Amino acid sequence: MKIPGSPDEREAFYWDIVTRCLVSRQDRRAHYDRLRNYFLFGCAPESSQALFNKINSHMDQLTAFLFAADTTRFAIRLGAGVDKATQLPMARPLVSRLNDKWEDSNSDIIFSNAVTWSLVYDSMFVKLIQRGSETMPFLVESANFGVLREDVPMLDRQEAFVHVFFTTKDQLRRDLDLHPKKEILLARLAASRKMESELPAGVQRIIMSTLYPLAGQMTGNAPAPLANEDIYRPRTSEELVEMYELWLWDDGVASEDKKRQRMGGYRCVTLADPSICIYDRLAYDPESKDGRQMFLQGEHPFTQICPNPAYDYFWGYSEVQKLTRLQDQREHHMSQATELVDRNVNPPKASKGMWGAVDEKNLALQKMNALISSTADPTAEVKEFKPSVPSDLWQLVDRDDAMFDQASALTNISMGRGEVGVRSKGQTDSLMRAASARPKKRALIIEDSLERLATLYVKLDKAHNKDPMMSEPLDDGQKAEPFLAAQFTDDFMAKVDAHSSSPGFMEQQTDEVLAMFDRGIVDGDAVLDVMHPQNIQALKIQYKRMQEARQEQAARQEALQKAEAAGKIAGKIGGGAGGVS
């Protein structure tokens, strides 16, 4: 994009870009609220909470299959033109630091939540913020994000995108302490207080329906639950200011005059509502006076997680959306079955030849050891009308559950259940490989986002971490030397080691590495890296000592055999010489 030169024109230009990026935000927020309610309560916002929320448990199972935070490990793949002899000894310490930082910064928890809610909505984002030498991840929901072109998939292909967030007025005043125009900006600032209504959700819907009635006339009464079941919403009494962080690609300025020439790259603009430009700077400025950079050159801090991408829609598809009708149908069948059982336990009754208050007699019939007085009429009786309960009453519910599993490609084998006719491990492994093909496709999509995030971790560590590390030589003859992360090559990419982020791959990878170990292709260190047991570093040291002990024992055995062979040869030579004399 070409950025205007005048400050007033820039501010208007930036606000216009923000408005265009957020053109669908309100519609998407209403859609996301509906999906959120189905995920948490198994029903639409205008309905009562489901008796059993199948969507929630189903999504929990699917998320556990697509991403496992406890087994995720990373590796570094070097570029084709990199000198492996000099860079590989530095790669392993960097991988160890990456794995440690990944867990210490709670990135495993953040990414797990991102996967779950990206299946609920359609996309989620993880934003990295650098604080000194530490990299901090933050979760950004898609309702607070916007892109310039929703018909273009993938965030890296967008010319501009915006992140909406809130800050308190006092925090913003502290953030502006060093700003040269602090007083002018605060004078222009209009704080927007994020108020939460104290009315229940049902009453709010009634009020809104009177203000914005539906087209046509509604006839009859519709039950509307007035209790607000969706209580998992943050509330605050602080005055909050709505902020916009706009990222756009600046084409730069090409000029023969070196003073006017400026390279292109991402530009980060911070605005406050309404359309007040607070900061406007390049994310990476090589001409920065203090040398501090907002982010890496040519990179932005956002990583999109979209398990169900679409070729013509940036946000992708929601997994919960295709399960909402099934949840409604399952709840309907549950209600039918429950009502039938209740009518069988407490059926309608008819009394004959009995005098007195009917309600009193009906109440007495509900109690144990009740005595009901009647007239001397010998034909007096109480007749029950019990409906017949079919033996396959719950088959419809079981069929609905099977349709849930089929919709998300989950089978009995993949969920740890037994399968009829399957007895051997070979049969189970074959069925597991065939059944996990569809979920693996989405697991690999999630893995791509995970690898981009891990690569940014290493790049930020190279740029900001000055703590030395010790190299790990490939050969025993080499010596370990200290080095800094900045000395590592820029031609690399962090990869998920052996697809360890998905349980669907782990069993297969374990079998393969054990088979290679039995054939002597890999050593015990490789097996430990794949299986990653507890106290892996201590186990590697123990394995190294075991190898050294085996080598010493083999050397002694070989020396003994040579000595025995030499003694036998000497004996034969001595015996032969004595016979000749």
Side-chain angles (χ1 to χ4, degrees):
M1 289 185 174
K2 296 294 184 182
I3 310 299
S6 170
D8 293 337
E9 291 180 356
R10 279 194 175 199
E11 189 171 83
F13 173 77
Y14 292 148
W15 187 250
D16 179 63
I17 295 294
V18 168
T19 305
R20 283 190 281 169
C21 288
L22 300 176
V23 65
S24 66
R25 186 189 179 201
Q26 295 303 324
D27 295 335
R28 288 189 292 111
R29 288 181 69 177
H31 179 57
Y32 293 155
D33 285 342
R34 183 178 181 85
L35 296 177
R36 185 178 189 272
N37 215 81
Y38 265 103
F39 173 66
L40 293 178
F41 307 107
C43 64
E46 64 274 7
S47 305
S48 300
Q49 184 172 349
L51 181 64
F52 177 75
N53 186 2
K54 177 65 177 178
I55 288 181
N56 191 285
S57 60
H58 179 82
M59 297 301 295
D60 194 26
Q61 177 72 39
L62 180 60
T63 303
F65 193 85
L66 295 180
F67 177 73
D70 57 330
T71 60
T72 301
R73 295 294 178 269
F74 298 101
I76 289 181
R77 186 179 69 185
L78 300 176
V82 176
D83 184 7
K84 307 296 191 298
T86 59
Q87 297 298 322
L88 280 178
M90 292 188 284
R92 295 189 67 177
L94 279 173
V95 170
S96 299
R97 180 185 282 184
L98 170 61
N99 289 325
D100 292 341
K101 283 182 172 292
W102 180 262
E103 294 181 355
D104 293 343
S105 62
N106 293 326
S107 296
D108 50 349
I109 300 175
I110 297 292
F111 196 84
S112 180
N113 286 332
V115 172
T116 299
W117 286 101
S118 64
L119 291 168
V120 175
Y121 299 143
D122 40 33
S123 291
M124 288 292 285
F125 301 86
V126 177
K127 181 181 181 181
L128 296 182
I129 296 179
Q130 192 69 23
R131 293 178 177 172
S133 62
E134 299 297 327
T135 305
M136 306 297 295
F138 293 90
L139 198 61
V140 179
E141 60 178 342
S142 47
N144 292 330
F145 205 84
V147 295
L148 187 62
R149 292 191 57 182
E150 292 188 347
D151 60 329
V152 176
M154 301 184 187
L155 190 58
D156 290 336
R157 301 179 182 179
Q158 295 288 335
E159 281 189 286
F161 45 89
V162 61
H163 170 214
V164 184
F165 63 98
F166 288 86
T167 185
T168 62
K169 197 172 181 180
D170 292 336
Q171 179 65 45
L172 182 59
R173 184 179 289 107
R174 290 193 296 270
D175 293 339
L176 293 175
D177 277 343
L178 302 178
H179 200 289
K181 299 181 180 180
K182 174 183 176 181
E183 299 303 328
I184 299 176
L185 292 174
L186 291 176
R188 295 180 57 195
L189 189 63
S192 59
R193 189 173 184 181
K194 191 180 179 183
M195 299 294 293
E196 295 285 348
S197 174
E198 297 181 357
L199 294 175
V203 177
Q204 293 183 41
R205 287 192 291 272
I206 293 174
I207 296 174
M208 292 303 295
S209 65
T210 59
L211 295 176
Y212 303 100
L214 299 174
Q217 298 294 326
M218 296 180 62
T219 305
N221 298 324
L226 300 184
N228 187 6
E229 297 168 344
D230 192 357
I231 60 175
Y232 305 114
R233 293 285 190 183
R235 295 174 180 267
T236 178
S237 59
E238 291 289 327
E239 286 187 320
L240 298 180
V241 181
E242 192 169 22
M243 306 289 293
Y244 305 89
E245 186 175 285
L246 174 65
W247 287 74
L248 69 162
W249 185 263
D250 187 351
D251 292 335
V253 177
S255 175
E256 295 180 358
D257 186 0
K258 294 184 177 181
K259 293 183 178 180
R260 296 186 62 246
Q261 190 174 1
R262 177 169 51 81
M263 66 179 295
Y266 278 106
R267 178 173 290 273
C268 180
V269 183
T270 305
L271 301 102
D273 188 47
S275 67
I276 302 173
C277 183
I278 297 178
Y279 289 107
D280 177 11
R281 66 283 201 201
L282 286 171
Y284 182 86
D285 187 1
E287 299 178 0
S288 175
K289 295 180 180 179
D290 56 1
R292 299 175 60 185
Q293 306 295 342
M294 186 173 181
F295 208 66
L296 302 168
Q297 183 177 3
E299 299 281 3
H300 58 81
F302 298 96
T303 299
Q304 182 186 15
I305 296 94
C306 181
N308 299 307
Y311 76 95
D312 59 347
Y313 186 56
F314 172 81
W315 306 104
Y317 305 121
S318 167
E319 188 76 16
V320 169
Q321 175 64 40
K322 63 183 180 183
L323 301 176
T324 54
R325 292 290 300 275
L326 279 177
Q327 174 65 33
D328 293 339
Q329 177 176 285
R330 188 184 190 280
E331 187 66 16
H332 175 64
H333 291 157
M334 284 280 293
S335 300
Q336 286 182 322
T338 303
E339 182 181 357
L340 190 60
V341 172
D342 289 344
R343 287 176 56 196
N344 188 270
V345 174
N346 190 12
K349 305 176 185 66
S351 61
K352 177 181 177 183
M354 302 178 67
W355 298 87
V358 178
D359 292 340
E360 293 180 359
K361 288 184 170 54
N362 182 48
L363 182 62
L365 288 172
Q366 310 300 323
K367 298 181 179 180
M368 297 179 60
N369 298 323
L371 177 63
I372 304 176
S373 61
S374 65
T375 61
D377 188 352
T379 62
E381 63 174 337
V382 176
K383 185 177 181 180
E384 292 183 341
F385 297 92
K386 283 190 175 183
S388 59
V389 179
S391 58
D392 57 349
L393 176 63
W394 300 101
Q395 273 193 356
L396 285 177
V397 178
D398 294 338
R399 188 191 68 180
D400 294 336
D401 292 343
M403 293 171 69
F404 267 91
D405 298 336
Q406 180 64 26
S408 297
L410 296 178
T411 62
N412 289 336
I413 293 291
S414 63
M415 291 187 290
R417 304 172 188 165
E419 196 70 64
V420 179
V422 179
R423 298 180 181 179
S424 67
K425 184 179 184 300
Q427 286 179 303
T428 303
D429 293 342
S430 299
L431 288 176
M432 184 64 185
R433 283 193 293 269
S436 60
R438 285 176 59 194
K440 279 181 179 179
K441 180 175 68 174
R442 279 184 290 185
L444 290 175
I445 295 173
I446 294 173
E447 189 175 294
D448 287 342
S449 300
L450 186 60
E451 289 173 348
R452 183 190 184 276
L453 196 62
T455 302
L456 288 179
Y457 257 88
V458 180
K459 289 183 177 180
L460 289 170
D461 190 70
K462 278 168 52 63
H464 299 280
N465 199 335
K466 306 303 180 183
D467 296 336
M469 293 176 287
M470 296 298 295
S471 63
E472 298 184 10
L474 301 179
D475 300 328
D476 295 336
Q478 296 178 348
K479 183 180 179 181
E481 297 180 354
F483 73 98
L484 298 177
Q487 297 176 244
F488 191 65
T489 179
D490 294 330
D491 188 8
F492 76 94
M493 183 175 181
K495 305 290 290 184
V496 176
D497 193 13
H499 303 291
S500 58
S501 61
S502 172
F505 290 96
M506 281 305 297
E507 188 68 26
Q508 181 180 351
Q509 295 294 333
T510 302
D511 293 340
E512 289 178 356
V513 74
L514 290 176
M516 288 189 289
F517 178 75
D518 293 338
R519 291 172 173 83
I521 301 175
V522 298
D523 59 1
D525 283 344
V527 176
L528 291 172
D529 287 335
V530 172
M531 304 186 70
H532 204 82
Q534 292 290 334
N535 299 323
I536 183 172
Q537 294 179 350
L539 291 176
K540 284 188 175 183
I541 295 174
Q542 182 180 353
Y543 174 75
K544 185 176 180 180
R545 291 175 179 173
M546 291 172 58
Q547 290 293 97
E548 293 174 351
R550 289 173 184 172
Q551 292 174 359
E552 291 178 0
Q553 183 178 0
R556 288 196 299 268
Q557 186 72 20
E558 184 179 359
L560 181 61
Q561 291 176 355
K562 288 181 178 180
E564 291 178 352
K568 290 179 180 179
I569 293 173
K572 290 181 179 180
I573 294 175
V580 172
S581 61

